[in-house]
Amino acid sequence: MDKRVYFLMIVSFIVGMVELIIGGILDLIADDLQISLGKAGLLITIFSLIFAIAGPVLLIATAGVERKRLTIVSLFVFLLGNIVTLFSSTYMIVFLGRIISAMSGALLIILCLVMAPTIVDPKYRGRAIGLVSMGVSGSLVLGVPLGLMLGNAFGWRAPFVMISLLTVLSIVGVFFFMERVEPKPSIPIGKQLATLKSRKILFAQSTTFLFLAGHTVLYAYLTPFLKTTMGMEGTAISVAYLVFGVAAVSGGGFGGTLADIFGTKRTILVVTVIFGCAIFAIPYTTFAMPVFLVVMIVWGMMSWAVSPAMQSYLIESSPETSDIQQSLNNSALHLGIAFGSVVGGVVIEHTSVTHNATVGGLLVVLALGTALLSMHEKKQLPKKQEQL
């Protein structure tokens, strides 16, 4: 395996952290900028929304640009977005910084996924893509506890200092250690969206969207949930996020193993059911820390256990468009995060954070429904009946 792939995995981890790194410090941002928690949550929503849409669009717009040069330029823009956020004095400037970071970050993740398989031998291509994907998924679950620890210790701007410094190191690394990578023809957006005409594909992608939306309704507001229901503060919340992060990362490997043993369809359905039950149960476990942690670990593991099974299912369902499906699935994931953070903010604004788990669980029930619709096979009529 080419060692440069591990470098691309690190770049994807750094870029991916920015999406949810403020999830654990929303209350600090809200207090400093004098806004509501729901409005602070929109900083996650706008990032995820732009991230989901901008990636495929910018990849096509920059199709003719050499990849190393494009990566360096994108990293500079990404650095700019984080610096804007770091030195912002108002909510709207933070909002602008998030938009800049999301647009450049979306392109960087796709570039890492595109370059990784081109710099290794063909027999390592799958593993190369998997390593970059691991960087992204790891950043989404570990970014929050990192941001929480830094935010509580030095203020909510501290995580963006860390991201900015790591981005500078990434620019230096790409410049000195990455070789030129010539661009390849991109797939038009129209052709990508045309694959959604398949009922099986459409409902499979909808399952990812609803699954992540249900997860984010609670996860994006886990800090206020822990403070309200369990009276946790500082270190205790950091530990809770760290436990969740470790469980989520291990869940990815666990889900892949389940898919290999029991098949993709059964794994998706079982994981979704267990995941939904865990979210519904969370509010009823806050009376005892050991019980809460056990259920939270199950929730964390299942939150990413579905990903490898779903990706394999999409490849099985449409092998001729497997690359397109992976791109669309990434967009569905981030659209789900965006939608879930909006819904979670609305719940907090109009009721209480204690209801976020129930609303999230209902979205997971819908995800189970779309998964069943995707897997439902239409019965073939006998040839004699078809002739009639």
Side-chain angles (χ1 to χ4, degrees):
M1 178 71 73
D2 194 308
K3 292 181 179 179
R4 290 174 296 173
V5 174
Y6 296 98
F7 181 74
L8 291 175
M9 180 184 72
I10 294 171
V11 171
S12 67
F13 179 83
I14 294 168
V15 173
M17 273 199 297
V18 178
E19 182 166 9
L20 291 177
I21 199 167
I22 65 172
I25 53 176
L26 285 179
D27 55 334
L28 300 180
I29 295 174
D31 290 342
D32 183 53
L33 300 179
Q34 297 183 341
I35 56 175
S36 65
L37 267 178
K39 195 171 182 180
L42 290 177
L43 295 173
I44 296 176
T45 303
I46 190 61
F47 189 101
S48 301
L49 185 61
I50 296 294
F51 198 101
I53 298 172
V57 174
L58 290 176
L59 188 64
I60 292 172
T62 58
V65 183
E66 189 271 319
R67 286 345 199 185
K68 177 180 177 179
R69 182 191 307 170
L70 182 58
T71 301
I72 292 174
V73 172
S74 299
L75 279 168
F76 269 111
V77 177
F78 183 72
L79 176 62
L80 173 64
N82 284 286
I83 290 175
V84 168
T85 303
L86 175 61
F87 291 103
S88 58
S89 56
T90 66
Y91 175 75
M92 290 310 299
I93 298 178
V94 177
F95 204 82
L96 175 63
R98 296 288 285 174
I99 291 174
I100 296 172
S101 299
M103 293 181 67
S104 52
L107 182 57
L108 281 166
I109 293 297
I110 293 182
L111 285 172
C112 288
L113 288 169
V114 169
M115 287 192 293
T118 65
I119 61 177
V120 298
D121 292 332
K123 62 181 179 180
Y124 293 122
R125 284 176 182 169
R127 262 179 275 185
I129 295 173
L131 282 171
V132 175
S133 298
M134 188 184 300
V136 178
S137 60
S139 70
L140 290 174
V141 295
L142 296 179
V144 174
L146 279 173
L148 183 62
M149 288 185 283
L150 287 171
N152 284 329
F154 306 106
W156 71 266
R157 300 174 196 273
F160 294 98
V161 174
M162 177 190 71
I163 294 293
S164 298
L165 292 174
L166 291 175
T167 303
V168 170
L169 292 176
S170 297
I171 292 172
V172 174
V174 171
F175 183 81
F176 286 106
F177 299 112
M178 292 298 297
E179 297 175 0
R180 286 174 58 87
V181 179
E182 295 302 323
K184 292 183 178 180
S186 58
I187 302 170
I189 292 179
K191 185 177 180 181
Q192 294 185 38
L193 295 178
T195 62
L196 295 177
K197 292 179 181 179
S198 165
R199 178 183 60 84
K200 177 176 287 192
I201 296 299
L202 176 62
F203 283 118
Q205 300 288 14
S206 298
T207 300
T208 295
F209 169 78
L210 290 167
F211 191 99
L212 265 295
H215 167 65
T216 310
V217 168
L218 179 58
Y219 186 68
Y221 301 94
L222 187 57
T223 294
F225 177 83
L226 294 175
K227 287 184 175 182
T228 301
T229 60
M230 304 184 73
M232 285 191 187
E233 294 293 340
T235 304
I237 295 177
S238 299
V239 171
Y241 271 110
L242 186 60
V243 170
F244 185 97
V246 172
V249 172
S250 63
F254 178 68
T257 302
L258 286 180
D260 289 340
I261 297 175
F262 299 108
T264 57
K265 293 182 180 180
R266 189 176 298 177
T267 299
I268 290 169
L269 295 177
V270 171
V271 166
T272 304
V273 170
I274 297 174
F275 179 69
C277 290
I279 290 183
F280 275 124
I282 281 290
Y284 304 101
T285 63
T286 54
F287 67 93
M289 180 63 74
V291 179
F292 172 78
L293 287 176
V294 169
V295 176
M296 191 183 70
I297 288 171
V298 174
W299 168 30
M301 289 187 68
M302 296 301 105
S303 66
W304 287 100
V306 76
S307 182
M310 179 57 74
Q311 290 171 357
S312 297
Y313 173 69
L314 287 167
I315 293 172
E316 294 169 3
S317 301
S318 183
E320 68 281 3
T321 63
S322 58
D323 290 345
I324 296 174
Q325 298 314 319
Q326 300 310 303
S327 174
L328 289 176
N329 195 245
N330 182 62
S331 293
L333 183 152
H334 291 284
L335 284 173
I337 293 174
F339 182 71
S341 60
V342 169
V343 173
V346 171
V347 173
I348 286 180
E349 292 291 320
H350 291 86
T351 57
S352 167
V353 71
T354 57
H355 296 135
N356 281 49
T358 301
V359 174
L362 291 174
L363 288 173
V364 176
V365 171
L366 292 177
L368 179 61
T370 55
L372 290 169
L373 286 171
S374 174
M375 297 172 190
H376 176 69
E377 300 288 347
K378 290 184 177 179
K379 292 182 179 180
Q380 297 290 333
L381 291 173
K383 292 184 177 180
K384 291 183 180 180
Q385 293 186 25
E386 288 180 351
Q387 293 173 355
L388 294 174

